[in-house]
Amino acid sequence: MKSREITWQAGGQQGEGLESLGEILASALNHLGYELYGFRQFSSRIKGGHTNYKLRIAAKAVGTIHKSCDLLIALDKDTMQNEALNIQEQGIILVDSILAQDYSGQARCVAIPFKDIAQKHGSQLQKNIAALGCTVAVLGLTEEDLEETLRKKFIAKGAEVVAENVAVLKAGIEYIKTEVPSLLGVLPLPELKHKEQHLFILGNEAMGFGALSAGAKFMAAYPITPASEVMEYMVKKARKLGGQMLQVEDEIAACTMATGAAYGGARAFTATSGPGLSLMSETIGLAAMTETPLVIVHSQRGGPSTGLPTKHEQSDVFAALYNTHGDTAKIVLSPSTIEEGFYDTFEAFNLAEEYQCPVIVLADLQLSLGKQTMLIPEYDKMEIRRGNIVEASSLPPIKAPEYFPRYSVAQTDGISGRIIPGTPNGICLGTGLEHDESGRPTEAKDMRIKQTEKRLQKMKTFLANYKKALAVDAPYSEADALVIGMTSTRSCIAEVVEILRQEGKKINHVQVRLLLPFPAKELEQYIRQAKKIIVVEHNATAQLAGLIRMHIEQCPHLENILQYDGDIMYTEQLLASCKEVL
Amino acid sequence: MAVLQDFKNNVKPNWCPGCGDYAVQMALQKAVVQLGMEPHELALVCGIGCSGRFSGYIYAYGMHTTHGRALPFAQGLKLANPKLNVIACGGDGDGMAIGLGHTFHAIRRNINITYVLMDNHVYGLTKGQTSPRSDLGFKTKTTPTGNIETPVSTLEMALAAGATFIGQGFSLQLQELTDLLVAAVRHPGFSLVNVFSPCVTFNKVNTYEWFKDKLVDVKDIGGYDAGDKGAVLNHVLEHEGLLTGLLYENLTKPSYEKISGLAKNNQMQSVKKLAPDVFSELLEDFY
Ligand SMILES: Cc1ncc(C[n+]2csc(CCOP(=O)(O)OP(=O)(O)O)c2C)c(N)n1
Ligand code: SF4
């Protein structure tokens, strides 16, 4: 019988090749057409070099992991002590036979001499490939399903290495066939109705790829978990395209350099997390005041201060919106899937140039470090819009002391013509001080008011035009409840909503994808359609609920489901919490 | 060819009469004319301070950034827009206190821009507080009993950071300062020009006379070799940094642009969709 889906998990010490084990399996499954979601977990109870990786394999799109798994590969004690507790009752544990087996749970636990299998056909370093072979056998796959992926992975090291790995893989499969035949194909993969080609991509890479696709060629950044993969991706790709990624002295420099490059006409950005955003706040104000198209990818982790550097949280909403002093005109997008991470980052560069302002792409740890299958971005639909850049050809000659009115207040939409420095006859000034239409500092009250309103008007124009403020799944015009979330809780909420609907409840779901300016009007219509409003978020101060209340007049009572233990949200728990509230 | 008038914007500086920054403004305008620049080919990027107002007083592209951050902004601008001549300016508080980290790293990085640091040993704009360049014992509003912290040695710091061009000028020596700025802009890499630019309002110790008295032009030092780092350091130590002229230049260390490859291939001005084949190639990583 085919299953609905399978969760595979492997735990062991770093350096045992767990990551490549997961990668190879996922890559092969992606080629076979399965939908995948992979997440590497760090457990605080576990010290030292332990690492573990979960992969959810399904026939339809999945966007998060569950707490439990069906098949667990245990290569170290930590895995047996901690992860084995979460296995399904009918699950299977394949434990390295060199470990003491004191497992007393319900699942079937089988000791496998991974090292011996590997050693016999290659070297003991290929223990992970032996485990891959066993996995393949239990899932009912064959060596042919994996061979091509293995070849691709190891061909750079030579045909011999490929052959050796294939031999170990086969030996793993053979071991199950001959020694534990009852395990052969006992956890069959779900049936695929249709097969589509997908990418299997890390959230941070999707955002980096989105930036690159949008023509971003300048990045300056300072390493920080969980955002570093964006700079690591850019450094690999930018140079060949005539761009550059610079690792600079701190986040102040990173953000300011990107702003300088953006002012200079490049598409430029930085990526950071918690503490980095704090350091960037002053420059964000500069970009807002000088109307410079800066893009920041911000991936939230546990705060405040250094907080929980490797743990998930969504507690920087207020910081992303308000950490800069003054009436700051900026945009904060919040993608809720890896695919949206790609498109929103792409779009962020368009918006930054069209509205001449800083744009923050607010992600979170799960979105950044989760890996998901996504459809190949539609090349033809990707459109670059640079907004109102004034070309040299349209400029009449000017001479000192005459300036181009860069900050003209004549336009009703607030958007004035932008000049790329170097353009003849376009000379103008820029300053973080309040300024006149040419960018000269001024304290004249009339101009102060006009310039402030000009900057804020751009945000109103944007909000009126923007079509992707909410991700909506709201089939009921009179709902029992509306569940509202943001960023990476999308998939977990969707699963819970699905279960509740099957139980006969009328539940709507809205994921807020635009946090600033806040799409209050659009959201309000769904709020008014529901008897109960449940706001789900990963922080202790209900920041999203606070925003909703701030923007919606006579806002009905909001129920909060808050999680701030550093872990991601699991369907089981969220379902229970929702039921309590309902 | 542009003339001096082309770089004047008729904005009356809000500097005090007699402020050293006027001379720097004049010298810079002369230098860019001498270099054959057109106003639109120049971008001035400034920090915050009296000196930070610089970009508003010269007719060219100008960006008045935040306190201490002129250099990161200027470096980003230069890499993104390599044809532009980028000159960063600021005071000693800007570059040696709040922005010191950026100054050090900008020197290390060696991007082809010029940094003009107007050094008056005091905070002017905020009305007379101590600066990291203030002498020991210097009394200000925030050091009423005299400064007790060792002043930063800009020159030693620059040498330690691996500078490829260090010049030092003085507001009273307009011609020398102009020449120095010309040489600095021509230098293929990061050039630092520290200018003693007295604050006549809040520094009654390090006055024009004080500097005139103490400064020694390196041309007057027999056998001075601006290419010998060790010897330069010795001179700096011996004269407690009170030297003027082209103090150090290293033409063997390539600029950031050269090393990174940007000098040969810089596509940052070309903002467009990736070519279909490039896009397909990028997809390969994710199958
Ligand atoms: C982050 C920040 N802190 C403080 C200030 C206030 N501030 C403006 S200029 C300045 C110091 C000015 O001294 P300096 O850089 O030596 O320039 P000068 O005015 O002497 O030319 C200070 C502290 C500011 N603008 N920004
Ligand atoms: S306060 Fe000092 S530095 Fe500022 S303008 Fe006056 S003299 Fe110049």
Side-chain angles (χ1 to χ4, degrees):
Chain A
M1 212 191 73
K2 293 276 178 188
S3 63
R4 219 163 61 85
E5 61 168 84
I6 295 280
T7 293
W8 173 89
Q9 184 177 7
Q13 292 293 302
Q14 259 158 32
E16 287 186 312
L18 273 176
E19 194 143 353
S20 54
L21 165 57
E23 292 291 304
I24 296 167
L25 178 63
S27 174
L29 291 168
N30 183 31
H31 284 185
L32 291 172
Y34 291 99
E35 296 270 7
L36 307 167
Y37 184 87
F39 195 66
R40 209 142 76 90
Q41 283 191 302
F42 313 84
S43 168
S44 58
R45 290 163 300 166
I46 296 169
K47 288 205 183 68
H50 175 86
T51 162
N52 86 80
Y53 185 80
K54 247 185 207 170
L55 184 70
R56 208 171 144 193
I57 311 156
K60 61 176 193 143
V62 277
T64 189
I65 49 166
H66 287 160
K67 203 165 177 96
S68 60
C69 75
D70 304 288
L71 173 56
L72 176 65
I73 309 289
L75 298 182
D76 69 354
K77 264 197 217 137
D78 292 323
T79 308
M80 285 310 284
Q81 273 164 17
N82 300 300
E83 303 308 324
L85 305 176
N86 296 327
I87 196 159
Q88 297 275 14
E89 269 179 29
Q90 285 87 30
I92 290 160
I93 303 172
L94 302 183
V95 56
D96 196 330
S97 50
I98 57 167
L99 295 172
Q101 288 134 49
D102 42 11
Y103 178 74
S104 58
Q106 300 277 322
R108 186 166 167 204
C109 183
V110 182
I112 311 269
F114 294 120
K115 208 164 97 181
D116 295 345
I117 299 173
Q119 210 153 18
K120 223 187 256 170
H121 300 270
S123 85
Q124 54 167 301
L125 285 177
Q126 284 151 330
K127 194 160 101 172
N128 60 341
I129 304 297
L132 180 66
C134 297
T135 298
V136 163
V138 175
L139 297 180
L141 296 172
T142 64
E143 62 190 66
E144 286 79 38
D145 294 329
L146 269 290
E147 252 183 49
E148 178 55 19
T149 311
L150 272 185
R151 200 188 59 78
K152 259 199 185 158
K153 166 97 182 166
F154 293 108
I155 192 67
K157 293 184 182 162
E160 231 170 82
V161 179
V162 175
E164 206 176 87
N165 278 287
V166 172
V168 176
L169 175 83
K170 280 187 193 167
I173 299 174
E174 210 48 42
Y175 183 88
I176 299 290
K177 272 190 187 159
T178 53
E179 303 296 322
V180 232
S182 60
L183 283 183
L184 200 63
V186 283
L187 291 175
L189 290 170
E191 194 175 348
L192 288 172
K193 296 245 160 54
H194 52 94
K195 204 178 138 172
E196 244 174 317
Q197 197 174 23
H198 284 102
L199 307 179
F200 184 56
I201 187 167
L202 189 79
N204 277 339
E205 287 177 341
M207 291 188 280
F209 184 31
L212 211 58
S213 302
K217 297 201 180 78
F218 184 96
M219 181 186 195
Y222 192 79
I224 190 164
T225 306
S228 298
E229 292 80 6
V230 183
M231 65 191 288
E232 288 161 11
Y233 178 74
M234 284 300 287
V235 80
K236 274 190 274 177
K237 304 295 172 189
R239 198 66 283 284
K240 223 175 129 188
L241 297 170
Q244 188 73 15
M245 196 298 293
L246 292 92
Q247 178 180 328
V248 295
E249 57 269 26
D250 57 30
E251 285 88 347
I252 300 177
C255 192
T256 313
M257 257 198 211
T259 309
Y263 166 71
R267 282 197 159 181
F269 75 120
T270 184
T272 192
S273 182
L277 189 71
S278 295
L279 290 184
M280 291 178 185
S281 57
E282 191 189 16
T283 302
I284 294 170
L286 177 71
M289 193 60 156
T290 57
E291 306 197 35
T292 305
L294 164 72
V295 173
I296 299 173
V297 171
H298 178 76
S299 182
Q300 302 169 88
R301 63 189 212 183
S305 188
T306 313
L308 295 171
T310 61
K311 304 282 180 192
H312 180 73
E313 206 162 271
Q314 301 177 328
S315 54
D316 299 347
V317 176
F318 287 162
L321 269 61
Y322 306 121
N323 75 345
T324 299
H325 63 278
D327 292 324
T328 309
K330 68 175 169 194
I331 294 171
V332 181
L333 305 177
S334 181
S336 60
T337 63
I338 286 175
E339 192 168 37
E340 286 177 7
F342 173 88
Y343 286 110
D344 282 4
T345 309
F346 184 100
E347 191 59 13
F349 288 92
N350 283 338
L351 299 175
E353 288 206 295
E354 284 185 300
Y355 298 97
Q356 303 175 7
C357 68
V359 179
I360 296 178
V361 179
L362 186 66
D364 58 22
L365 183 138
Q366 188 184 354
L367 192 87
S368 281
L369 301 185
K371 216 168 166 178
Q372 194 177 5
T373 36
M374 80 175 238
L375 287 172
I376 295 163
E378 290 178 79
Y379 183 78
D380 294 334
K381 282 200 187 145
M382 298 187 323
E383 177 202 8
I384 294 203
R385 305 186 310 273
R386 300 203 67 191
N388 188 0
I389 295 180
V390 184
E391 305 286 342
S393 55
S394 66
L395 287 165
I398 53 167
K399 246 186 133 37
E402 208 186 330
Y403 282 109
F404 174 82
R406 162 73 184 92
Y407 301 103
S408 162
V409 292
Q411 297 76 11
T412 50
D413 60 5
I415 301 165
S416 50
R418 185 163 68 99
I419 297 266
I420 309 295
T423 307
N425 299 312
I427 291 189
C428 51
L429 295 173
T431 171
L433 288 168
E434 191 55 275
H435 42 263
D436 66 13
E437 293 182 295
S438 304
R440 286 173 297 222
T442 182
E443 290 181 353
K445 285 182 185 168
D446 179 47
M447 192 40 75
R448 160 65 175 178
I449 292 168
K450 282 188 178 144
Q451 289 293 345
T452 301
E453 288 173 354
K454 169 198 194 297
R455 290 185 292 267
L456 298 176
Q457 176 58 46
K458 292 187 299 180
M459 299 300 101
K460 289 183 195 158
T461 308
F462 159 69
L463 188 59
N465 290 333
Y466 194 59
K467 299 278 183 296
K468 294 182 192 132
L470 305 176
V472 178
D473 172 23
Y476 309 107
S477 55
E478 282 179 37
D480 297 322
L482 165 68
V483 185
I484 304 174
M486 62 183 162
T487 325
S488 67
T489 51
R490 165 90 164 261
S491 181
C492 181
I493 295 176
E495 286 182 20
V496 167
V497 165
E498 195 49 48
I499 296 169
L500 290 169
R501 284 176 187 167
Q502 276 163 17
E503 292 175 4
K505 297 248 167 27
K506 293 183 194 156
I507 313 285
N508 286 339
H509 172 198
V510 169
Q511 203 77 2
V512 183
R513 289 181 59 190
L514 173 68
L515 295 168
L516 189 73
F518 196 73
K521 253 205 198 126
E522 228 182 302
L523 183 61
E524 182 165 3
Q525 74 189 76
Y526 300 105
I527 287 186
R528 301 289 176 215
Q529 284 171 356
K531 286 194 202 105
K532 273 207 163 129
I533 320 294
I534 306 171
V535 186
V536 177
E537 46 189 317
H538 279 276
N539 58 59
T541 46
Q543 299 187 14
L544 178 60
L547 269 187
I548 296 170
R549 252 184 244 113
M550 177 172 148
H551 289 283
I552 292 182
E553 270 179 58
Q554 287 165 353
C555 182
H557 176 71
L558 305 177
E559 302 280 355
N560 295 315
I561 294 179
L562 304 175
Q563 186 181 336
Y564 41 90
D565 60 356
D567 206 351
I568 64 169
M569 215 167 261
Y570 297 108
T571 318
E572 301 90 331
Q573 277 164 281
L574 182 62
L575 181 63
S577 307
C578 282
K579 282 187 170 169
E580 250 172 65
V581 174
L582 289 167
Chain B
M1 264 264 292
V3 295
L4 204 58
Q5 196 58 35
D6 295 323
F7 288 95
K8 296 195 170 172
N9 70 353
N10 290 1
V11 176
K12 190 178 165 309
N14 59 357
W15 292 325
C16 310
C19 174
D21 294 353
Y22 285 103
V24 186
Q25 179 196 14
M26 177 52 76
L28 195 94
Q29 282 166 330
K30 286 185 160 195
V32 291
V33 169
Q34 209 172 308
L35 284 158
M37 254 182 239
E38 294 294 328
H40 71 267
E41 296 167 342
L42 170 64
L44 287 162
V45 180
C46 297
I48 301 292
C50 295
S51 43
R53 286 301 192 98
F54 214 86
S55 59
Y57 304 148
I58 289 182
Y59 189 75
Y61 282 102
M63 184 54 83
H64 180 221
T65 66
T66 46
H67 192 28
R69 319 299 170 200
L71 280 176
F73 193 100
Q75 293 169 85
L77 173 57
K78 178 67 185 181
L79 293 186
N81 200 326
K83 283 197 205 128
L84 213 54
N85 296 284
V86 178
I87 299 179
C89 309
D92 46 311
D94 206 68
M96 289 293 128
I98 192 164
L100 178 63
H102 303 313
T103 307
F104 192 91
H105 290 283
I107 294 172
R108 280 179 63 219
R109 209 167 277 127
N110 203 29
I111 291 173
N112 188 16
I113 61 173
T114 297
Y115 180 35
V116 182
L117 206 159
M118 283 157 263
D119 183 0
N120 55 17
H121 293 23
V122 75
Y123 282 15
L125 190 74
T126 43
K127 301 194 179 356
Q129 299 85 6
T130 189
S131 140
R133 290 281 297 141
S134 298
D135 293 337
L136 284 171
F138 183 65
K139 285 188 183 167
T140 67
K141 283 181 188 158
T142 51
T143 50
T145 55
N147 171 36
I148 57 172
E149 296 179 26
T150 309
V152 181
S153 165
T154 310
L155 304 179
E156 287 170 57
M157 183 278 295
L159 285 169
T164 57
F165 184 106
I166 307 172
Q168 193 155 260
F170 177 35
S171 287
L172 270 192
Q173 299 168 350
L174 192 65
Q175 188 54 52
E176 287 87 342
L177 181 56
T178 308
D179 294 345
L180 195 56
L181 289 169
V182 169
V185 172
R186 287 201 175 126
H187 174 76
F190 187 90
S191 46
L192 167 70
V193 179
N194 191 65
V195 187
F196 294 117
S197 175
C199 171
V200 293
T201 308
F202 296 110
N203 192 336
K204 305 291 184 197
V205 177
N206 310 103
T207 58
Y208 284 102
E209 290 68 36
W210 187 91
F211 281 113
K212 210 160 85 181
D213 223 38
K214 307 235 163 175
L215 288 174
V216 174
D217 194 312
V218 293
K219 282 200 209 91
D220 300 330
I221 299 176
Y224 189 90
D225 180 0
D228 182 342
K229 191 165 171 172
V232 171
L233 180 61
N234 279 331
H235 287 297
V236 167
L237 293 171
E238 190 185 324
H239 292 87
E240 295 181 354
L242 292 165
L243 295 165
T244 53
L246 202 174
L247 306 190
Y248 179 70
E249 186 166 25
N250 173 352
L251 289 167
T252 55
K253 182 175 151 184
S255 67
Y256 183 91
E257 290 91 323
K258 272 230 166 102
I259 300 182
S260 64
L262 281 172
K264 281 222 177 83
N265 179 21
N266 184 334
Q267 302 291 327
M268 293 197 216
Q269 286 293 312
S270 139
V271 175
K272 50 178 193 234
K273 219 162 133 169
L274 294 171
D277 58 318
V278 175
F279 185 72
S280 305
E281 198 188 310
L282 290 169
L283 288 173
E284 283 301 317
D285 289 341
F286 307 120
Y287 289 130

